[in-house]
Amino acid sequence: MSGRFIVLDGADGCGKSTQARLLADMLVDRGLSVLLTREPGATSVGRQIRRMLLDPATGDLHPMAEAMLFCADRVQHVCEVLRPALERGQVVVCDRYASSTAVYQGYAAGLGWSTMHQLNDMATGGLQPDLLIVLDTPGPHAARTQQYASPDPNGRGGPDRIEQNAETYHRRVRLGFIQYARMLGDRAVVVDGTHSIEQVHAEILTHVERVLQR
Ligand code: TYD
């Protein structure tokens, strides 16, 4: 596969979607062929799965059912979107991937790393990012909760089903991402997301350059 696969991930509200967009725009400006995509919900069936997973009306789901639904979305994403784009030689910038299932369902919800590695492996057919960028910010979830308390300029409603989890769950998510990144060695970096949007973008770019030059 000739393209490059870059994943941005992190706890809710860490700013990764903004950074994914900025990164993709920057790479396009450089004349690269770029695909910006996300999980869950980048395919037609994925959008239905996303609705089910995030709608508070769905209520309680067993973490394994949750993990399998995220992975079902991932199977379609890998087959329909990711592999074809990488085969075309595109640079793929993906907002969340297998790392999210490993951390949210595997670590924070307690299913365990190795079970989630197995499940992710089946879902992805072994497709791993060239680089995982974890954005780390203290209490990103708390910041988002505050944001819901004030009028919402982006038209977002209240917290989704996953965001409604207890604060302790979200603290575990943050810790889980750091641990997961460590397990990946030099295929992952943790970027301090507390700096300005421009500074974080610049740091992300330095890591991405490394991958593009390989
Ligand atoms: P989304 O709105 O896409 O993310 P964000 O809130 O960061 O913009 O919502 C996806 C939610 O689903 C988010 O809370 C993380 C969670 N999630 C998992 O629990 N497991 C997964 O495998 C994935 C991909 C996401």
Side-chain angles (χ1 to χ4, degrees), residues 12 16 50 70 74 96 100-101 104-105 144 162:
D12 293 78
K16 68 188 164 36
R50 179 184 171 89
F70 279 114
R74 186 158 305 127
R96 294 198 188 281
S100 277
T101 312
Y104 280 81
Q105 284 69 47
R144 184 169 272 187
I162 306 273

Side-chain angles (χ1 to χ4, degrees), residues 110-163:
L111 292 178
W113 291 122
S114 83
T115 309
M116 285 308 98
H117 289 329
Q118 285 174 39
L119 194 63
N120 270 328
D121 223 40
M122 283 192 280
T124 61
L127 179 67
Q128 293 185 5
D130 294 295
L131 182 66
L132 166 68
I133 299 162
V134 168
L135 268 192
D136 181 53
T137 46
H141 175 252
R144 184 169 272 187
T145 308
Q146 264 176 14
Q147 180 188 314
Y148 290 133
S150 51
D152 184 0
N154 301 320
R156 282 184 68 123
D160 66 38
R161 204 182 58 82
I162 306 273
E163 286 170 341

